[in-house]
Amino acid sequence: MTAASSTSATPVLVRREGRILVLTLNRPEKRNAMNDLLVRELDRIFSTLEPDVAALVINSESEHFSAGLDLSELTTRDLPESIMHSRSWHATFEKIQFGRVPVIAALKGAVIGGGLELAAACHLRVAEPTAYYALPEGQRGIFVGGGGSVRLPRLIGVSRMMDMMMTGRTYSAGEGLALGISQYLVGAGEAFAKAMELANKVSGNAAMTNFALIHALPRIAEADPATGYVMESLMASAASTNPEAQKRLSDFLEKRAGKIVPQG
Ligand code: 1HE
């Protein structure tokens, strides 16, 4: 493990663990509220990934994953600036969701507003029992602006998101697992280790598989079925005729690959 490249003013700490890039949200005194600098830093990191980075983990080493948008910056923008600010979050979060590598979020404590929008842009989410999910935009008189109204209904449905924003309802880590906000729920203090385990696992996938899952699957799922089937056939063929797939298929057929066993 290399030391974190950071100063105390760095809103995102970055370090490498082998082929995994670890990003640590680093505004603990503001509960990792996301200011412009933090979002710009995420944008820079995702725009300049080294080719040998195979997966990425986003975590927090303090009590909370993120308290969402830094509300102190909201009071200074006029309408055009506000629209462009929201669009800048969209651009950054698009780079996370539709980049080259799988991104895994390790969640704990507050996963609120923009923090939940950031988590929703990641591909896998691992939560600790302290994690809780809220969209207090309704209470603050504002609206989600980081892609939440696009991504969150796809995770939990419009009606649950409406409830969260209209009434301030929060969901616990256990509820979040049941609803599909996180795919994993682990013990206290275990989210980062689990996220790293998953990152190492997915970084062993064929590059074409991760491409298909990140770029094709969400588009196929939203396409009309006739288009979706054609896209699926094209993607399946691009994957299965790739030399990496051919090798993995031979490994199985010639008894060199493991069998699929239940993981408990
Ligand atoms: C903040 C923020 C923030 C904390 N913007 N400064 N998000 C919210 O509405 C959530 C607001 N935050 C909270 O409800 C609480 O801070 C927490 C439950 C997350 C944590 O509570 P606690 O007791 O651990 O900390 P605290 O004492 O409330 O906060 C510590 C400091 O962080 C304090 O500043 P200080 O100068 O008094 O030390 C807080 O003001 C500051 N802080 N959260 C700015 N969010 C793209 S659109 C997305 C829209 C949204 O994300 S809306 C949701 C906003």
Side-chain angles (χ1 to χ4, degrees):
M1 187 196 307
T2 56
S5 56
S6 68
T7 67
S8 58
T10 307
V12 183
L13 304 180
V14 184
R15 71 172 192 272
R16 278 289 287 269
E17 293 203 17
R19 298 174 70 210
I20 315 302
L21 197 68
V22 178
L23 308 187
T24 303
L25 304 178
N26 187 40
R27 297 187 77 213
E29 70 290 352
K30 295 291 175 192
R31 308 306 184 251
N32 291 334
M34 292 188 278
N35 60 1
D36 284 352
L37 191 61
L38 190 153
V39 175
R40 273 204 302 273
E41 188 57 7
L42 286 177
D43 197 274
R44 186 192 65 74
I45 293 163
F46 279 90
S47 303
T48 55
L49 280 188
E50 298 287 337
D52 61 336
V53 169
L56 207 143
V57 169
I58 304 182
N59 79 335
S60 160
E61 287 178 359
S62 48
E63 199 179 335
H64 302 286
F65 180 72
S66 173
L69 173 70
D70 188 322
L71 295 170
S72 68
E73 291 189 346
L74 256 196
T75 50
T76 56
R77 295 189 189 99
D78 64 14
L79 175 59
E81 286 168 346
S82 179
I83 292 169
M84 290 319 294
H85 176 260
S86 167
R87 297 294 291 145
S88 76
W89 280 51
H90 291 165
T92 300
F93 288 12
E94 280 267 318
K95 286 178 190 171
I96 297 173
Q97 184 178 4
F98 294 115
R100 184 177 55 77
V101 299
V103 182
I104 298 141
L107 305 175
K108 54 160 92 154
V111 185
I112 293 182
L116 181 52
E117 293 182 288
L118 172 61
C122 299
H123 305 104
L124 301 176
R125 287 162 292 278
V126 180
E128 295 188 9
T130 58
Y132 65 99
Y133 310 101
L135 292 171
E137 285 87 342
Q139 282 61 58
R140 309 270 182 242
I142 57 177
F143 192 66
V144 286
S149 59
V150 173
R151 292 190 183 94
L152 289 169
R154 287 168 166 78
L155 283 182
I156 60 173
V158 169
S159 64
R160 286 196 191 92
M161 181 173 177
M162 191 172 294
D163 186 19
M164 291 175 82
M165 292 192 68
M166 250 180 200
T167 69
R169 179 173 185 166
T170 65
Y171 285 116
S172 67
E175 289 169 323
L177 178 74
L179 295 177
I181 298 177
S182 79
Q183 292 101 326
Y184 297 86
L185 176 58
V186 294
E190 294 175 358
F192 178 69
K194 181 68 181 179
M196 289 301 291
E197 178 197 320
L198 294 170
N200 278 304
K201 194 175 280 184
V202 300
S203 68
N205 288 343
M208 189 64 90
T209 295
N210 284 339
F211 170 83
L213 292 173
I214 293 171
H215 291 271
L217 176 61
R219 269 75 180 232
I220 292 170
E222 283 170 19
D224 68 275
T227 307
Y229 290 131
V230 174
M231 288 168 70
E232 180 185 271
S233 295
L234 293 173
M235 192 65 252
S237 304
S240 65
T241 55
N242 189 277
E244 176 68 22
Q246 292 295 319
K247 179 185 168 308
R248 290 175 185 231
L249 295 170
S250 305
D251 284 349
F252 175 74
L253 295 171
E254 290 157 25
K255 314 283 185 213
R256 289 189 298 271
K259 295 183 184 181
I260 309 302
V261 291
Q263 291 174 13

